[in-house]
Amino acid sequence: LVAEVEKAINAYGQKLKAMIVKYESNKYVLSVQDKYINDEINCKFDILEKISGIDIGNKLEVTLSIGVGRGGVSPQENYNFAVMAKELALGRGGDQAVVKTKDKFEFYGGKSKAVEKTTKVKSRLIGYALKEVISQSNNIYIMGHKYPDLDAMGAAVGIFDICKSCGKSAHIVLDDVNDSIEEFVKRVKKQEYYKGIFVTCEDAIKNCNKDTVVIVVDTHRPSYTECQELLNIAKKVIVIDHHRRGVEFIKDTVLLFHEIYVSSTCEMVTELIQYLEEDVKINKLTAEGLLAGINLDTKFFAFKTGVRTFEAASYLKKIGADTVETKMLFKSNVEDFIARADIIKNTKIINKRICIAYSESE
């Protein structure tokens, strides 16, 4: 297999009249004239398909990640661009080419599915590291993305329980409650266990200092977070996310748990809880919030669901999550239901591939 890949890459280097150097067992650097890059962009880097087409009985598809740097003032700057582009390609799941110039990124390929990793070693290590950081902190803020959904809110409450079990008080930064989390937030506010859990952005900014720990869940983009200013004030930032990496990324994190093959952030937080089980006690409502987040992002176990997703769900059930109560977190009022049904009724199907519908109601 390695020989086949090497043969394809060497032939590719010759086609581009490139200087090609293999610098690790699976890494290559090519120095190419800029005019050939335009040809590659026109054919959308078809080397990606050639490599993924290699089949000599291997169970996993072989994929290639390419980072291209161009338009810099020196070869060194182009090289730096290429390294950034390659890291971005890997962060987005591989099997794609990313071209970086001074002011923009362009993406090509990226058709293969993210493959679930069966080992949980990383979750265990992150779990211990997270506990260490929390134990050494006195001021902890947790936040998701703007207009949070049940995955962001379930994960945030899960992290709150980890902090509480470590004897630390934490707060979730939340300004507005939208329809998708309204029921869950209402239940959280009713329980004495979660007293004072929610704070506004304004209060968080007032009380945040450089020793504060900010834990960001379900996003890695600074501009998407509930309160971006906290990232500028605090020196310790932790990111837990499962989305494909975007151009914008929270830099200089003390801990980064970013796995794109995972179904949801709630699944990731559940795994962390499993490894800290002796020390962490989870409230029943927290378990239901985490299960609701998994349900939401997998569309009730239909999409992006791996073996570990079911393991996480069964663990939550074991520690007290009620599946009926979890389902109730998704309930909507009858007007919404009718409006949605009306939109579906108006659907037109184009070329047996695309559904299009519109709504005259707000």
Side-chain angles (χ1 to χ4, degrees):
L1 187 65
V2 172
E4 281 293 322
V5 172
E6 196 142 315
K7 197 167 97 182
I9 289 173
N10 282 325
Y12 183 60
Q14 283 174 354
K15 183 186 109 176
L16 298 177
K17 298 186 171 54
M19 180 204 83
I20 179 166
V21 176
K22 181 179 182 179
Y23 64 97
E24 259 180 58
S25 64
N26 58 353
K27 295 177 183 175
Y28 300 81
V29 61
L30 278 73
S31 182
V32 185
Q33 276 183 277
D34 193 66
K35 62 182 180 183
Y36 295 115
I37 299 297
N38 288 327
D39 296 340
E40 285 307 296
I41 287 171
N42 291 336
C43 70
K44 294 192 168 64
F45 290 88
D46 56 6
I47 180 73
L48 295 168
E49 284 176 29
K50 281 178 192 154
I51 295 289
S52 60
I54 294 172
D55 182 8
I56 48 170
N58 40 296
K59 284 182 183 169
L60 286 180
E61 189 183 323
V62 187
T63 61
L64 190 65
S65 300
I66 303 174
V68 180
R70 66 189 304 209
V73 293
S74 65
Q76 179 64 48
E77 189 172 28
N78 278 340
Y79 169 74
N80 294 341
F81 286 168
V83 170
M84 283 163 71
K86 182 197 69 175
E87 283 173 2
L88 185 54
L90 290 167
R92 287 164 58 87
D95 186 34
Q96 56 196 282
V98 177
V99 180
K100 162 93 176 96
T101 55
K102 241 188 175 62
D103 50 4
K104 64 174 180 176
F105 287 89
E106 288 169 351
F107 303 94
Y108 303 91
K111 292 177 191 162
S112 69
K113 280 186 181 168
V115 179
E116 184 190 30
K117 292 177 186 160
T118 50
T119 170
K120 295 185 186 176
V121 173
K122 190 170 181 182
S123 300
R124 191 175 75 230
L125 295 174
I126 296 274
Y128 291 138
L130 178 67
K131 193 179 157 209
E132 282 293 303
V133 176
I134 289 169
S135 301
Q136 292 161 16
S137 313
N138 292 321
N139 194 12
I140 302 162
Y141 286 118
I142 306 156
M143 63 178 172
H145 46 77
K146 285 175 187 148
Y147 313 110
D149 55 12
L150 278 168
D151 188 30
M153 201 39 62
V157 174
I159 296 291
F160 170 84
D161 271 32
I162 293 175
C163 297
K164 203 174 168 83
S165 297
C166 295
K168 301 289 178 179
S169 71
H171 300 283
I172 295 173
V173 182
L174 182 67
D175 264 354
D176 298 312
V177 176
N178 59 61
D179 289 353
S180 63
I181 59 165
E182 190 176 16
E183 181 64 27
F184 182 57
V185 169
K186 208 189 293 173
R187 290 190 197 182
V188 168
K189 283 179 175 174
K190 269 183 197 165
Q191 290 199 17
E192 185 63 27
Y193 177 86
Y194 301 105
K195 196 175 178 189
I197 184 172
F198 296 113
V199 294
T200 61
C201 286
E202 202 180 321
D203 288 343
I205 292 165
K206 222 181 282 175
N207 299 311
C208 185
N209 56 47
K210 64 177 195 300
D211 297 322
T212 301
V213 173
V214 176
I215 303 173
V216 177
V217 293
D218 206 33
T219 183
H220 57 259
R221 301 180 178 197
S223 63
Y224 276 34
T225 55
E226 185 75 42
C227 183
Q228 192 175 346
E229 277 184 60
L230 293 182
L231 303 175
N232 304 327
I233 304 167
K235 288 279 175 277
K236 294 181 196 162
V237 178
I238 295 169
V239 173
I240 302 171
D241 187 29
H242 71 112
H243 294 102
R244 284 200 169 205
R245 185 167 170 169
V247 173
E248 202 193 350
F249 203 83
I250 296 169
K251 294 183 175 72
D252 306 323
T253 51
V254 291
L255 203 57
L256 174 65
F257 191 18
H258 186 218
E259 301 289 354
I260 64 157
Y261 59 84
V262 178
S263 73
S264 54
T265 312
C266 282
E267 182 187 326
M268 296 166 82
V269 171
T270 304
E271 285 193 357
L272 297 178
I273 291 164
Q274 277 176 284
Y275 282 113
L276 302 170
E277 195 171 23
E278 305 137 31
D279 316 308
V280 173
K281 293 287 168 280
I282 291 297
N283 192 29
K284 177 179 179 288
L285 183 56
T286 300
E288 285 163 5
L290 288 163
L291 186 56
I294 294 172
N295 282 340
L296 176 79
D297 274 18
T298 59
K299 293 191 169 46
F300 291 89
F301 300 96
F303 291 98
K304 248 190 143 183
T305 307
V307 175
R308 285 165 64 171
T309 315
F310 288 109
E311 283 175 3
S314 69
Y315 170 75
L316 292 169
K317 178 76 179 153
K318 188 176 89 180
I319 60 172
D322 183 326
T323 45
V324 176
E325 288 296 320
T326 303
K327 182 83 172 154
M328 294 298 280
L329 294 173
F330 291 91
K331 69 181 182 186
S332 57
N333 62 41
V334 72
E335 289 85 4
D336 286 355
F337 182 83
I338 291 166
R340 212 169 285 155
D342 207 39
I343 295 166
I344 293 166
K345 194 176 85 179
N346 290 327
T347 303
K348 298 276 182 285
I349 297 174
I350 302 162
N351 296 342
K352 296 184 181 171
R353 284 181 66 235
I354 299 163
C355 289
I356 190 163
Y358 67 93
S359 165
E360 286 179 1
S361 60
E362 279 290 315

